Amino acid sequence: MSISPAPSPSSSATPAPTSIHSSQDTHPPKAETFNLREMVNIDPKGFRRKVDEFQLLTPNRLYMRRGMDHPKFGYLESFLLADEGLRISIYHFRPGVKVEHQRYVDIVSIDHTDPQCWRMTDLYLDILQAPSDAEAVAPLPADAATQIRVEDVDELVAAHTQGLISDELTEFAIETTLTARAAIAAHGDSIDAWMQSLNLNTTWADAVELSPAV
């Protein structure tokens, strides 16, 4: 596997200010399971998704890739970093579809007490690297300008206010987001460049085959 070139961030010397986007939908934290024994990813809705590959990179780091039948994207790759509280993903958009994000970072809590069955809880906050051109469609050119966005801040606040997430996890989510955002900025607002500094010892797939949409 080798890293697929990400569209380039804006070329200014100082990273552009982070855009913060939010959603009004409040719900309990979403949970996913990554079952290495059965080669399935159980998504937040309870659907069992067949996994093409799991790589246990270290006891605390897991790579997964699988097909998706979503109308917008047909393949998913994710790195789960338990110690860092991060899930870093590429959603491979279908040709001609508007690209909403080019790299996607979920802030998460991961229980991997059973190393063959990882359980992940989403902590609402997300960091996206998205095309600067809001109308850009897949496939993106390699030199497409991108920007970093932090999303769902008000969703975390609402969930905490309603007692759906503890004080400790709320604080963890905020601190993890701030740390990750600063690290991304230090690498030119490029999530791929930041990932290279994490010593994952593997990278994105050279090529993937999109699953048919349902």
Side-chain angles (χ1 to χ4, degrees):
M1 300 172 69
S2 62
I3 206 154
S4 54
S8 305
S10 301
S11 58
S12 58
T14 302
T18 302
S19 298
I20 297 180
H21 295 246
S22 298
S23 152
Q24 296 298 324
D25 179 31
T26 305
H27 53 79
K30 296 177 180 178
E32 284 190 54
T33 300
F34 302 83
N35 192 316
L36 283 68
R37 295 186 188 90
E38 300 181 10
M39 294 294 290
V40 295
N41 169 207
I42 303 175
D43 71 16
K45 295 182 179 180
F47 291 106
R48 296 172 63 88
R49 307 295 189 180
K50 180 182 177 296
V51 171
D52 292 332
E53 180 183 11
F54 280 123
Q55 283 190 51
L56 191 59
L57 306 174
T58 73
N60 303 313
R61 292 179 168 186
L62 178 67
Y63 169 80
M64 179 205 73
R65 62 182 181 93
R66 67 170 176 84
M68 301 186 76
D69 57 15
H70 194 279
K72 292 183 179 180
F73 23 78
Y75 210 84
L76 170 65
E77 297 181 76
S78 291
F79 286 92
L80 279 69
L81 311 181
D83 287 348
E84 292 86 351
L86 301 170
R87 176 185 186 172
I88 309 173
S89 301
I90 296 179
Y91 292 80
H92 292 270
F93 282 81
R94 301 185 187 281
V97 172
K98 185 185 297 185
V99 178
E100 299 168 4
H101 41 77
Q102 176 259 346
R103 298 290 186 267
Y104 200 108
V105 181
D106 291 286
I107 308 304
V108 299
S109 174
I110 297 173
D111 175 5
H112 58 301
T113 306
D114 179 350
Q116 293 297 308
C117 190
W118 288 40
R119 303 182 189 280
M120 186 195 81
T121 302
D122 186 280
L123 302 181
Y124 299 99
L125 298 180
D126 306 307
I127 304 173
L128 280 59
Q129 185 172 344
S132 298
D133 178 2
E135 301 303 316
V137 299
L140 289 178
D143 61 350
T146 61
Q147 60 183 351
I148 299 296
R149 302 203 310 255
V150 176
E151 294 203 335
D152 295 334
V153 174
D154 67 337
E155 194 172 331
L156 173 64
V157 172
H160 179 255
T161 299
Q162 296 176 27
L164 298 174
I165 183 171
S166 69
D167 293 347
E168 292 77 13
L169 281 178
T170 300
E171 182 177 357
F172 173 79
I174 294 170
E175 290 181 350
T176 300
T177 301
L178 292 173
T179 299
R181 180 61 187 99
I184 294 166
H187 289 84
D189 272 2
S190 168
I191 287 177
D192 279 353
W194 166 54
M195 288 177 65
Q196 290 177 346
S197 75
L198 298 177
N199 299 316
L200 297 174
N201 298 320
T202 190
T203 53
W204 307 113
D206 292 326
V208 300
E209 182 176 348
L210 304 186
S211 296
V214 173

